[in-house]
Amino acid sequence: MFAKHAGRSRRVRLLEKMPAFAELLAQLSFLAFTPSAVGVLITAGLLVVFLDWRISVFALACQTIFAGLLYSQVLPPQIAGVKVVVGLLICLQMLVTARQMGGNKPPAALPEGLRSAQKQSEGSEPSGSSLRSIVPTSLPFRIVAALMVAVIAWQGSLLPELALPEVSPNVALATIGLMALGLLGLGLTEEPLKAGMCLITVLTGFELYYAAVEPALAVIALLAAMDFAVALGACYLAVIRTLRAPDRKAAK
Amino acid sequence: MIVPLLMLAGPVVMSAPIYFLRRWTWARAIVAAATAAIFGLLALQIPLDQVAVFAGRDIKFESAWVVLGRQFVFADSDRPALAFIYLASMFFFAGAGATKAPRSLLTVGPVVLSLLAATIFVKPFLFAALFLEMIAALAALILADDHHPATRGALRLLVFVTLGVPFILLAGWQLEGVATSPDDPNLLIRATILLDIGLLILLAIVPFHSWIPTVADEASPFAAAFVFTVVQAAVIFFMLKFFSQYDWLRHNTAEFALLRLGGAAMVIAGGAFAFAQRRFGRLMGYAVIADIGAAMLALGLNTAEGLQAALAILAVRGIGLAVWGLGLSWLNADLPERNTSDFAALAGQAWQKPFAAVAVVLGGLSLAGFPLTAGFAARWALYRQLAVDDLTLALILLFASGSVALAYVRGLAALFRRVERVDNSLDEGPQEGQVAMVFLAIGIGAILLVGLFPQVLLPAVTRAAEAFGSLAQ
């Protein structure tokens, strides 16, 4: 009994030693400027370039964390933390959806980016064919398009006509870059899960700026609810899209 | 009792028992329709900021609810818009029992009603755009299901609304600046431009219209009709609130010219593409586009009569769409290609399902503003006003309506075409099912009744127009 009590008190001490989110953000504040702005651009670029669901979800999760660091420039750290938690929950939602979709269908019937999902759910290692699924056939075009848009966003953020004086130059770069790359991604896909990720990217870019000009708690809560709703809609459509008539007959 | 909280939470709470009744379609339809009816009556009758006796106790019905520093306020002027949304939804929910509508319509529909009420209550009302975005996301759950797995239309709706919302929110931020620096004209100019772009996208004005025909073609006809009626009505009410609230917007003649321009573009696009369609779904999509354009032309007149005509068009659109959706759901229910609305695939169906066939054609003709149908009176009022103001626009609208009507006549010819059949199904009489026949007959009767006696809608339309006070003067 004494040993059990000692173990519990050790756990409590460990929890007490764990930094609060605000402290964590303070420790990572050295990343909250240019590295985060570049980070969100790279992750948004990865979302545009790669179709594979694992790379996309990982990129979205990283983007959420980098965006959280940028949020800490315009919002109190606790609220920035809540934004990160909301973003990561959306990533989790998309991860579960992608895995479920992969398990439901034969690879040939899946969208290109999800073909490796079933192999993983079956526990096999990525093979040559799944590597082809990770690297899309239009890779060179996607890389060039993403680079062009990223450069245009970077140059645009430096133009006085497009200046966003309410936020720092890093946040302005992230805002314009996320929105531009998100729109590019939307233009390149009809797959709902991917489109949902691109929509979340566009919304993250907008919210980075809007949080600076309208930091009201109610608005931030509504925006978070809106992000959840968009992710829910996209995930639902992604699951429905994989259902085809033969499956329904088989299910019956 | 906080009335906005009741109106927002009530339908959401009711969606839980509706979900658990999922095995009994009729029970779900009745509970959902009763919920919408009760809240519709509450919207019309509930006393605001008064003490009333309820269940033997004195209860004060408060009209405002404060959440995290923002308010949800139920004003008297909101009653007609709310009542329209709830009562129109009631008919859709009741009809869902008689058709093969997606199961999620009855579960998610009440939640959509709550969000629609939130768009009306929220202050500052610019934040209604956020609720419109949530509605678009939930509409995806209604528009696609395992029987309608095509997702392009629902996804486009979600994408377009997501792209429109930031413009509205930024316009609101600029307007807050106007309150602190009223002498700065740049703020007003920027707010106006942002608002125009946001509304352009939300109202699905050309070139942001592509989701409408796609949804009409891919989704369940009844679910698509619900979205076109209730959700698009909420967007129009949202726009009207802008015009009635902001004097500078109302007195800006360029804004009304833009409304007319946008309306004309919609009417031309709808009319031009409708004629070429060979599927009832896409045809309805383009008819809806032309109808939204007609409503915008009416609003662009900037007169009290124009506002009344626009609201009447909005009201009768729901009748036409509901009857069309009900009819088409039954027409293609037993076909091998179940979701098809192709003229060729539905050839000869009028002999087997006469009520459904008549409902589809009459619903479509009503949307085209054909004489003796529900849509005619409002269109006629608009033609008369447009002819005085701008004869070209009146002629464009007339040609577009003619194009939609002719396309439906082609559809009618296909439905009545004799097709060689191996079975003797023609001798078995109407195959819609008795309950469906009753609902279809009620719908057809409603279209003809409103067509013959349009004055039955007049008091409601006048009251709705008065709710937008300054705009109706």
Side-chain angles (χ1 to χ4, degrees), chain A residues 207-225:
Chain A
E207 286 171 29
L208 265 174
Y209 178 66
Y210 197 64
V213 298
E214 183 68 76
L217 209 54
V219 177
I220 289 167
L222 278 175
L223 284 169

Side-chain angles (χ1 to χ4, degrees), chain A residues 15-233:
Chain A
L15 280 174
E16 279 171 355
K17 275 184 191 169
M18 273 180 72
F21 197 84
E23 292 167 358
L24 202 65
L25 275 181
Q27 285 171 17
L28 294 173
S29 59
F30 68 96
L31 285 173
F33 297 95
T34 309
S36 287
V38 174
V40 290
L41 287 191
I42 290 172
T43 50
L46 289 176
L47 271 176
V48 172
V49 170
F50 291 102
L51 296 176
D52 183 74
W53 65 278
R54 287 166 300 186
I55 295 176
S56 299
V57 174
F58 178 71
L60 191 66
C62 292
Q63 187 191 96
T64 303
I65 292 166
F66 284 128
L69 291 168
L70 289 169
Y71 274 125
S72 67
Q73 288 188 41
V74 291
L75 289 172
Q78 293 85 351
I79 298 175
V82 171
K83 297 283 280 184
V84 172
V85 171
V86 168
L88 291 177
L89 284 174
I90 287 171
C91 293
L92 185 67
Q93 193 180 344
M94 295 196 160
L95 179 80
V96 171
T97 306
R99 283 190 68 93
Q100 191 182 354
M101 286 164 64
N104 281 347
K105 298 284 291 182
L110 282 170
E112 196 179 350
L114 285 158
R115 280 177 202 158
S116 60
Q118 195 199 35
K119 281 200 164 54
Q120 207 210 352
S121 66
E122 287 167 359
S124 62
E125 292 298 313
S127 62
S129 61
S130 66
L131 193 69
R132 220 173 296 133
S133 165
I134 293 169
V135 181
T137 46
S138 55
L139 186 72
F141 166 73
R142 284 172 179 269
I143 290 174
V144 171
L147 276 176
M148 280 172 67
V149 170
V151 169
I152 289 168
W154 171 47
Q155 286 299 311
S157 71
L158 300 175
L159 286 175
E161 293 85 5
L162 291 175
L164 303 174
E166 295 79 13
V167 291
S168 67
N170 297 312
V171 176
L173 170 64
T175 295
I176 296 174
L178 282 173
M179 292 184 78
L181 285 166
L183 286 174
L184 174 67
L186 277 175
L188 292 177
T189 186
E190 280 208 339
E191 206 281 302
L193 196 66
K194 191 77 180 172
M197 291 182 195
C198 294
L199 278 178
I200 294 293
T201 302
V202 173
L203 285 173
T204 304
F206 167 70
E207 286 171 29
L208 265 174
Y209 178 66
Y210 197 64
V213 298
E214 183 68 76
L217 209 54
V219 177
I220 289 167
L222 278 175
L223 284 169
M226 185 180 87
D227 291 348
F228 260 126
V230 168
L232 172 73

Side-chain angles (χ1 to χ4, degrees), chain A residues 166 183 186 190-192 195 199 202-203 206 209-210 213-214 216-219 221-223 225-226 229-230 232-234 236-237 240-241 243-244 248, chain B residues 67-68 70 104 127 130-131 133-134 137-138 140-142 144-152 154-156 158-159 162-163 165-166 169-170 173 176:
Chain A
E166 295 79 13
L183 286 174
L186 277 175
E190 280 208 339
E191 206 281 302
L199 278 178
V202 173
L203 285 173
F206 167 70
Y209 178 66
Y210 197 64
V213 298
E214 183 68 76
L217 209 54
V219 177
L222 278 175
L223 284 169
M226 185 180 87
V230 168
L232 172 73
Y236 175 80
L237 291 177
I240 286 291
R241 194 170 187 240
L243 298 173
R244 289 282 183 266
R248 291 202 301 277
Chain B
V67 192
L68 294 172
R70 299 282 156 181
S104 51
F127 293 118
L130 293 171
F131 293 105
E133 168 82 51
M134 290 180 216
L138 289 185
L141 276 64
I142 294 174
D145 66 347
D146 46 357
H147 294 296
H148 303 87
T151 57
R152 212 168 10 149
L155 188 64
R156 280 188 193 173
L158 184 60
V159 169
T162 306
L163 297 184
V165 165
L169 292 178
L170 289 175
W173 167 56
E176 280 177 15

Side-chain angles (χ1 to χ4, degrees), chain B residues 18-342:
Chain B
I18 293 168
Y19 173 77
F20 287 114
L21 288 169
R22 61 187 179 277
R23 287 188 184 180
W24 298 280
T25 307
W26 267 109
R28 300 170 79 224
I30 290 168
V31 174
T35 304
I38 289 167
F39 280 96
L41 290 175
L42 278 178
L44 285 172
Q45 298 294 333
I46 199 164
L48 295 173
D49 292 322
Q50 291 174 26
V51 178
V53 181
F54 181 72
R57 293 170 62 185
D58 286 347
I59 294 177
K60 186 178 182 194
F61 292 92
E62 291 175 33
S63 64
W65 180 40
V66 181
V67 192
L68 294 172
R70 299 282 156 181
Q71 280 192 314
F72 289 86
V73 181
F74 184 2
D76 263 326
S77 57
D78 297 333
R79 288 183 192 273
L82 265 181
F84 171 79
I85 287 169
Y86 283 123
L87 296 178
S89 304
M90 179 193 75
F91 288 112
F92 276 99
F93 294 157
T99 183
K100 292 174 175 60
R103 275 179 295 180
S104 51
L105 174 64
L106 292 170
T107 318
V108 180
V111 183
V112 169
L113 286 189
S114 285
L115 291 171
L116 286 167
T119 63
I120 292 171
F121 292 152
V122 70
K123 301 279 182 250
F125 72 93
L126 286 148
F127 293 118
L130 293 171
F131 293 105
L132 287 174
E133 168 82 51
M134 290 180 216
I135 290 166
L138 289 185
L141 276 64
I142 294 174
L143 292 172
D145 66 347
D146 46 357
H147 294 296
H148 303 87
T151 57
R152 212 168 10 149
L155 188 64
R156 280 188 193 173
L157 166 64
L158 184 60
V159 169
F160 281 136
V161 175
T162 306
L163 297 184
V165 165
F167 289 102
I168 303 285
L169 292 178
L170 289 175
W173 167 56
Q174 294 290 312
L175 289 174
E176 280 177 15
V178 173
T180 50
S181 321
D183 298 331
D184 187 355
N186 288 330
L187 287 173
L188 267 188
I189 292 168
R190 268 185 296 206
T192 310
I193 292 170
L194 288 167
L195 200 58
D196 286 344
I197 298 172
L199 289 174
L200 181 80
I201 299 172
L202 290 181
L203 284 165
I205 296 171
V206 178
F208 300 101
H209 67 290
S210 65
W211 67 268
I212 292 182
T214 315
V215 161
D217 195 34
E218 292 175 346
S220 149
F222 205 65
F226 175 76
V227 170
F228 293 151
T229 303
V230 180
V231 178
Q232 280 305 98
V235 177
I236 295 260
F237 290 140
F238 180 57
M239 183 181 72
L240 288 176
K241 266 198 165 181
F242 274 106
F243 279 98
S244 67
Q245 187 133 341
Y246 295 116
D247 285 341
W248 55 268
L249 197 63
R250 199 167 52 249
H251 295 138
N252 187 349
T253 50
E255 285 299 301
F256 290 95
L258 268 180
L259 270 178
R260 284 200 297 274
L261 184 67
M266 299 278 280
V267 168
I268 291 169
F273 288 111
F275 189 70
Q277 300 309 313
R278 295 190 175 276
R279 292 207 289 265
F280 280 109
R282 287 192 81 80
L283 171 55
M284 176 50 70
Y286 286 110
V288 168
I289 289 173
D291 199 57
I292 296 173
M296 289 177 60
L297 284 178
L299 289 173
L301 290 170
N302 193 14
T303 59
E305 293 77 22
L307 176 64
Q308 284 187 11
L311 292 173
I313 288 171
L314 211 60
V316 293
R317 183 191 303 161
I319 302 173
L321 277 172
V323 176
W324 170 83
L326 198 63
L328 189 56
S329 300
W330 275 102
L331 268 188
N332 61 15
D334 306 326
L335 295 178
E337 245 187 298
R338 193 178 156 191
N339 298 327
T340 187
S341 62
D342 199 281

